[in-house]
Amino acid sequence: MTSETEPLTLVLVGPMAAGKTSVGRRVARRLGVDFVDTDKQIVAAHGPIPALFAEHGEAYFRELERQAVADAVADGGVISLGGGAVTDAETRELLKAHSVVFLTVSAEAVADRIRGGNRPLLAGEDPIERWKRIYEERRPWYTEVASTTFDTSRRPMQRIADEIVAWKREQR
């Protein structure tokens, strides 16, 4: 619940290329709150994510991510998390106090979205097969933290955003 002293907070989780940023921007605009992409915050403060992975490893990146998520939910707004944020138990615990939307997407729909991208966890092999494995590994964590689920596979992002806004307004 949101009160005058507690900012509206809505968190978007889901696999890489599910549309968290695209949908999140639209939802934030409609709700009249700030939009935060935790991956973009990390890049602004620490440099490109592929370089962080290469130089310091995934564990270091997850520490930075955990802090970015904690800062973002403390400030409120619509917050898009990186696909792997839910792999961290402390982050999942933090999310329990907030409205969390799990954006799902099919492998077929995501294929065009990830081509030509610079996603370190998809490097070095068939990116679609790797994406599928990562999604299946993380799906239980997405489900664990989710308050509701919306599929982005074959529907306009604006329609999905409108439905999320309607859902969030019902929660108040």
Side-chain angles (χ1 to χ4, degrees), residues 26-156:
R26 289 171 170 91
V27 171
R29 197 173 315 122
R30 288 278 314 278
L31 292 173
V33 298
D34 289 336
F35 172 73
V36 175
D37 179 320
T38 57
D39 279 351
K40 286 186 176 34
Q41 284 192 318
I42 293 167
V43 168
H46 304 281
I49 293 171
L52 292 171
F53 267 75
E55 294 170 26
H56 303 286
E58 185 174 356
Y60 175 78
F61 173 76
R62 295 298 171 207
E63 289 176 28
L64 297 176
E65 186 173 55
R66 182 184 319 119
Q67 188 57 54
V69 172
D71 293 345
V73 297
D75 292 340
V78 175
I79 303 153
S80 169
L81 303 191
V86 297
T87 64
D88 182 78
E90 289 179 48
T91 298
R92 290 194 308 275
E93 187 63 31
L94 180 65
L95 295 177
K96 289 180 180 178
H98 302 284
S99 297
V100 179
V101 175
F102 172 21
L103 296 182
T104 63
V105 64
S106 68
E108 295 76 25
V110 86
D112 290 334
R113 299 180 193 179
I114 65 173
R115 288 200 207 305
N118 193 7
R119 298 174 190 266
L121 290 180
L122 299 182
E125 62 178 284
D126 177 356
I128 300 301
E129 286 306 312
R130 178 77 177 132
W131 179 90
K132 287 180 192 176
R133 282 198 305 278
I134 291 169
Y135 186 27
E136 287 310 312
E137 288 168 9
R138 295 174 179 173
R139 186 188 294 261
W141 290 316
Y142 296 134
T143 302
E144 175 188 331
V145 300
S147 308
T148 189
T149 302
F150 290 86
D151 185 75
T152 67
S153 298
R154 298 279 179 227
R155 298 172 50 230

Side-chain angles (χ1 to χ4, degrees), residues 1-31:
M1 288 300 176
T2 301
S3 70
E4 301 218 359
T5 59
E6 188 178 325
L8 180 147
T9 302
L10 177 68
V11 181
L12 302 177
V13 300
M16 292 176 271
K20 297 179 298 289
T21 299
S22 298
V23 170
R25 286 186 202 285
R26 289 171 170 91
V27 171
R29 197 173 315 122
R30 288 278 314 278
L31 292 173

